[in-house]
Amino acid sequence: LLEELLQKEKEYQHVLKATLQQRTHDLELIRVRHRPPDISPPSILHVPADHEPDKRLTDWLKEHGADPDTIDKFLMEEYNLIDILTEVSKDDLRSLRLRGGVLCRIWRAIQRYRERDRLTGDKHSKADV
């Protein structure tokens, strides 16, 4: 009986943790959607003058379904394509506050690239980028 109670407690803790994570995510979405109108989203016009946007990155993002706002978020962080394909984590993408579908498509493309790269053993392959 005690073992069953412990198992149920673990299940309850798991469900509670998942619920809290979902609520936190929901609150973040609400906060982003209802930010004051005087705070404008980042724009390519705000990219530092001394930083040249990576054309290969913007083309790659467009190829994977990114809209202009999403591309601006990457450019504001001064990423380049190799950074994205080799170094960025899913949490890094989440921190950009990308829309869910775009985040998933970009992350899948990164994973596909890394898997191909791992299979070929060529760490800096630029083919099929």
Side-chain angles (χ1 to χ4, degrees):
L1 187 61
L2 184 57
E3 285 181 30
E4 287 182 39
L5 181 60
L6 287 173
Q7 180 60 33
K8 291 297 179 190
E9 179 65 23
K10 286 180 184 178
E11 290 173 12
Y12 172 75
Q13 291 295 326
H14 178 72
V15 169
L16 181 61
K17 183 178 178 182
T19 302
L20 287 173
Q21 287 175 338
Q22 182 62 44
R23 293 287 184 240
T24 302
H25 182 262
D26 292 347
L27 287 171
E28 181 65 18
L29 284 176
I30 290 169
R31 189 177 68 75
V32 168
R33 288 182 182 151
H34 293 92
R35 70 174 168 240
D38 61 325
I39 299 175
S40 61
S43 166
I44 188 142
L45 301 174
H46 296 106
V47 174
D50 61 336
H51 178 72
E52 187 68 27
D54 183 352
K55 173 88 168 100
R56 290 178 51 216
L57 173 60
T58 58
D59 291 345
W60 186 87
L61 289 168
K62 288 176 189 174
E63 188 178 307
H64 291 91
D67 57 85
D69 289 335
T70 299
I71 293 169
D72 285 352
K73 290 176 183 181
F74 281 90
L75 296 177
M76 286 296 297
E77 296 299 323
E78 298 183 21
Y79 282 121
N80 64 46
L81 182 57
I82 296 301
D83 292 338
I84 298 301
L85 294 174
T86 61
E87 303 296 328
V88 168
S89 69
K90 193 169 187 178
D91 285 337
D92 293 331
L93 295 178
R94 283 186 185 117
S95 73
L96 292 175
R97 292 170 149 163
L98 304 178
R99 288 186 338 273
V102 173
L103 186 145
C104 290
R105 286 189 296 276
I106 291 171
W107 182 243
R108 269 195 310 272
I110 290 169
Q111 288 178 308
R112 282 191 301 266
Y113 173 85
R114 290 177 183 174
E115 183 62 21
R116 276 194 316 263
D117 192 52
R118 186 184 67 77
L119 292 174
T120 62
D122 182 9
K123 283 292 179 198
H124 297 288
S125 172
K126 304 231 179 354
D128 296 326
V129 173

